[in-house]
Amino acid sequence: MNRLKSILGHTWAILALPIILATFMGLDYWAKSLAKITDVKISPWFSGGEIIRTLARENYKTILHRPVFDGLFRKRKEGFVQVNWVPLGENLPPVINEEIDIDGDGTNDFHIQFNTLTNLAYLTDHSDRIIEIEEVYNLGKERAVRVRLRNSPEI
Amino acid sequence: MSKTSVAFKQPYPKNSLLKSILLVLPMLFLTAMMLSEGGKIPKNPLHLIPFVTVYIFFNGMFFLMIYTGKTDRYRAILFTTFAVCFVISFISNLIETRGSMALTGEDMISGNTPFCHMVIPMTLIPAALTKTIIFPGSILEGFANVATMFVIWIGVSLVLGRGFCSWGCFFGGLEEGFSRLRRKPILKHIPLKWSYMPYAVLAAVVLTSTLALSPTYCEWLCPFKAVTEFVEITSFQVLVQTIIFVSLFVGLVIVLPILTKRRTQCGLLCPFGAFQSFTNKLNVFEIRIDREKCVDCMLCAKACPTFSLDAKSIAKGRTRLSCTKCGKCVDVCPKNAISFHIKGTPVSSGHDKSRLLFIYPALIFLATFGSGTIKGALHRILLLLTTGGMIQ
Amino acid sequence: MQGFLLGLTSGTVCLTYCAPVMVPYFLGEGKSVRQNISLLVKFLVGRLSGYLLFGVLAWIFNLLIGKGFALHDLFFGTAYIILAAMLIIYGFFNKRSRCAAETLPGLFRRLSSHSPSLLPLFFGLLTGMNLCPPFLLAFTEASGTSSIGGSLWFFWNFFLGTSLFFFPIPFLGVLRRFEPLQIVGKLAAGILGVYYLYIGTIMTQGGLIQL
């Protein structure tokens, strides 16, 4: 028994070096495999959530993400929705006026007026789900805004 | 046991020059392969000089480890150099790409935040329950993405256990450096109960992160934001968080290590270290004490930088779970009673072999993990010397 | 969330301080796993009853304080600060607390001879009403909820947090490593105290501004 333990111990200790080498030499492969097996994503509280709709406009496109209320076991009472604007040409227009329908029910939930030069945004809510603008983001040529929402059964 | 009767001896029989060279040869080959990433030797002198310097540096320190039989002294030189170079390289890179060290909301929603190993314990339960990583990074893209860092963590945990904290953590190296500035400690006694603090912090941050779906240690406590990146101060809450992390950095990373000659952040706060301690249970390497040789002089306990030795553990012939396998106790023991050990093998024999089997993968890990950073820092220093600025 | 967290930090200490008192009743000779489970269930029912009773008391307390918003924030903010300070001292500095059950040895002797089946229930009730800082903070938090349902829910979560550590007892017996768990639990309580100190300061500041 002691001899077996000693053999196993030595074997494992000898394997330590190949394991380290394999870790680094196959790093890309292991990383992709791990990502595929676990199928994890970055939390939507950071990434903004999956894109649900892309709306083509004259010189830019509006990207609407899904509303984020993700909790540990159930949805939270408050969350946000992220809207991105991506220029199709060089730059975004100086002012963007956008009506946003979060859940695609044909009724606009809020209106955003975004000044891309000053990065100031103004919100007009059409629904009691809308709370306020959480944050405005300047992503180089792109812009984004997160609007705080109250959770409702329809979303 | 009288203090005056203890005399210093070599931890291991010193190897002959020829034997040392023969033992280093495989390392020369392996580091050449790993540092060059399969044979890509840079031609530009500003990159070639750092490459050659790093290669000689790592192999030189390894040779000295083998030749002198001392582990900790040379490990500490490598480890501290890595940490200092990490700070130089990381900060320069941030300023080059972002213009400042401040982490903005834009960086976070773009997934541009490099994934730090300290976050790992906080991400596991949310990942298991929600299949999401609660960190503003990227799964597969960019520098230090989530998947890559997890793979490295899994590999090093299997091989070194909490040895990562002494052979890989670029934060621990800072405290390592500060803890060696004085010859003798001013504060000699820290009550042992505080060495359980990392576990309490781990429990608190894992639970709060799980419930908040946000890495609370990073937001509220991590002292190393002082030398990496931190959230832009745009609110009172962020101001409080900034005061906390700056205070913790100054206190636990600079001041207390100088006063105590211990790694106080690692031993008294770091939740990742506490978490990594549990990997010591799985790891095959450990530090053991031969009770027949031990005279209970407690020099090892006084020397241990992470409070991993006390009278109880020494009596059992073991370190506490928090041992980072730095080798300091091994080097300090006057009776050669402490050694690197392979689980399952006899404690009283095979010390040299066990040590060699440990320091080989440990040094390869440090060289591979750290060389890019050290090369990067040296490159920045060369840029400074040749162009007057570190930023391109 | 806070209820569960407070319960967890309270639970480790409850278990490690009270286990030496409870163990003879739970793990006496000849007791099977099934018997121990039955004892544990009675014990936990006693604890839950105590906590829910306090949940009701917390709600009544909230009604008495009234809903004047500025005073509400000021009162609770100050309470949080005081209790947070106690929690920090309790977590980081306090040497020893006694298990509440130790304070009434005479009563236990009488119960064990006359009504032994009530003993675990009574044990649970008494250990649940140990007025340690995590419990007091839980009471204060629950008092701040707007409904009796909220207050009871808070104490239910607190109960869950404290009980987590008791579930393995019938199967694993006495937890071997009391002392490290005890120390970690208390330090975690101290950390939570720092958090409540921050919350209390913000609330008090808010209350003062509104005054």
Side-chain angles (χ1 to χ4, degrees), chain B residues 216-234:
Chain B
T216 49
Y217 180 75
C218 306
E219 288 168 2
W220 285 95
L221 293 174
C222 183
F224 294 105
K225 290 190 291 194
V227 289
T228 52
E229 55 192 348
F230 44 82
V231 176
E232 251 186 337
I233 302 175
T234 50

Side-chain angles (χ1 to χ4, degrees), chain C residues 98-199:
Chain C
R98 292 180 77 193
C99 175
E102 285 180 279
T103 57
L104 298 165
L107 183 59
F108 283 123
R109 271 198 296 275
R110 266 180 272 137
L111 264 176
S112 69
S113 53
H114 291 111
S115 312
S117 61
L118 285 179
L119 201 60
L121 264 167
F122 187 75
F123 231 132
L125 191 69
L126 204 61
T127 57
M129 296 196 297
N130 191 23
L131 298 181
C132 52
F135 180 83
L136 291 171
L137 255 169
F139 184 85
T140 309
E141 273 254 32
S143 307
T145 58
S146 52
S147 66
I148 187 165
S151 185
L152 290 173
W153 178 246
F154 190 93
F155 266 102
W156 165 252
N157 284 305
F158 184 78
F159 163 74
L160 284 180
T162 61
S163 302
L164 217 62
F165 299 94
F166 292 92
F167 289 129
I169 287 181
F171 306 98
L172 301 176
V174 175
L175 282 173
R176 274 180 291 150
R177 311 194 70 187
F178 283 128
E179 205 191 344
L181 201 61
Q182 191 181 82
I183 296 171
V184 170
K186 287 192 79 183
L187 290 171
I191 292 168
L192 215 58
V194 174
Y195 165 75
Y196 274 103
L197 191 65
Y198 172 73
I199 296 292

